[in-house]
Amino acid sequence: MPAAPLPSGMAVLERGWLSANNIVFLPAPGDADGAAVIDTGYASHAGQTVLLIEAALGSQPLARILNTHLHSDHCGGNAALQARWPQAQTLIAPGQAGHVRHWDPQALSYTPTGQDCPRFAMSGVLQPGTSVRLSGRDWEIHAAPGHDPHSVIFFEPHSRTLISADALWENGFGVVFPEIEGESAFDEVAATLDLIERLAPRTIVPGHGSIFTCVDAALATARRRLEGFVRAPERHALYAAKVLVKYRLLDWQRVRAGDLLAWVAATPYFGVLHARHFGDTAFLEWAHGLVDALEQSGAAQRQDGWLLNI
Ligand SMILES: [Zn+2]
């Protein structure tokens, strides 16, 4: 189904899986709030992110950086953008303001996931229940817990455009991070899908992947997937572990198999997932199995002791 046109002044820079999509808003004539970007990609792509946003803005300075949530693939470019546009305000969901002010990479998930995110400063919060003005339109801010307890999503009711972050993709949703640590969050995922259904968006700009309009089909797919995870939480645990390994491989592109296994052994979330769900298998054997599974699914390829991202 072809995507409906986006509200004027809004541009989506579709990235890949390592870097979340960046959504750029040019100011409307007479708009005092200035240009803005929602989400800034992963740290290793930060140089590319700055160039892409410079190109999208033309002569406009970037006035605001907004983050749907603070996973490393959504805010890894914040520091580079702040360096390029020192006057830019940075607005984040309220739940993690303290962790950003005092920079706590444990609470912000960078240490437990083994991912990188350069330290950045914040200047304000995106309070759910309020709205933010982007390209001359008011975008509602909604809490969207589940994938991340602090995530927000943005909805523009006139065009019925939703910026869904990792709460809903065309073909699923992001790993339910609280569940990795044993905190139940599948109900929150369901409630956020219900919220999206109530908002009745016409066009969805997801955190990853292309803009889509088949909203009912995406909701049905997400609910089926969620039901599977609720029935068998170990399936979600295995999915989470594979996603974390694949993500590391996406960044490195090629790595010696032994080095990847050493990274798995040193990265806290793998120990947590293993202990909680797969304790019957020795850790190293389980870790080998994760790499084998990636290879079998066509997400990686072995070559002379190296593992290549494909
Ligand atoms: Zn995320």
Side-chain angles (χ1 to χ4, degrees), residues 125-290:
V125 296
L126 297 159
Q127 194 65 49
T130 68
S131 63
V132 59
R133 197 149 179 91
L134 299 164
S135 295
R137 291 171 184 249
D138 290 323
W139 287 73
E140 300 171 356
I141 303 168
H142 294 270
H147 163 71
D148 178 284
H150 309 290
S151 185
V152 294
I153 55 178
F154 300 91
F155 182 64
E156 199 286 302
H158 186 72
S159 63
R160 290 177 26 218
T161 308
L162 177 72
I163 293 168
S164 65
D166 296 341
L168 180 65
W169 299 333
E170 187 167 6
N171 195 20
F173 49 82
V175 166
V176 186
F177 275 78
E179 290 277 344
I180 294 178
E181 304 212 45
E183 286 167 37
S184 103
F186 290 144
D187 288 350
E188 284 82 350
V189 173
T192 292
L193 295 176
D194 291 347
L195 163 71
I196 292 174
E197 185 170 30
R198 281 199 304 279
L199 293 173
R202 186 157 44 200
T203 306
I204 295 189
V205 180
H208 302 267
S210 301
I211 298 170
F212 62 92
T213 53
C214 307
V215 177
D216 292 345
L219 283 168
T221 301
R223 286 180 171 132
R224 263 198 314 277
R225 200 167 169 72
L226 178 62
E227 271 169 36
F229 289 157
V230 169
R231 265 201 310 274
E234 69 279 6
R235 276 180 48 191
H236 175 262
L238 187 59
Y239 167 66
K242 286 196 280 191
V243 164
L244 288 171
V245 177
K246 172 68 179 177
Y247 194 78
R248 184 32 64 217
L249 194 56
L250 269 172
D251 186 22
W252 282 338
Q253 287 295 313
R254 65 198 305 269
V255 59
R256 289 207 169 272
D259 291 343
L260 184 63
L261 288 168
W263 174 81
V264 169
T267 299
Y269 268 171
F270 292 100
V272 173
L273 286 165
H274 174 262
R276 200 174 293 281
H277 296 280
F278 307 102
D280 294 350
T281 310
F283 181 84
L284 257 186
E285 193 185 327
W286 177 71
H288 272 280
L290 292 176

Side-chain angles (χ1 to χ4, degrees), residues 1 19 42-43 51 60 64 85-86 92 100-101 120-122 126 133 144 174 182 193 219 229 244 246 250 262 268 273:
M1 205 187 292
S19 278
Y42 190 64
L51 292 176
Q60 294 282 343
R64 289 170 295 165
W85 287 283
I92 64 169
V100 171
R101 277 198 200 97
F120 60 87
M122 58 151 290
L126 297 159
R133 197 149 179 91
L193 295 176
L219 283 168
F229 289 157
L244 288 171
K246 172 68 179 177
L250 269 172
L273 286 165

Side-chain angles (χ1 to χ4, degrees), residues 69 71 73-74 147 166:
H69 63 301
H71 284 158
D73 53 333
H74 289 255
H147 163 71
D166 296 341

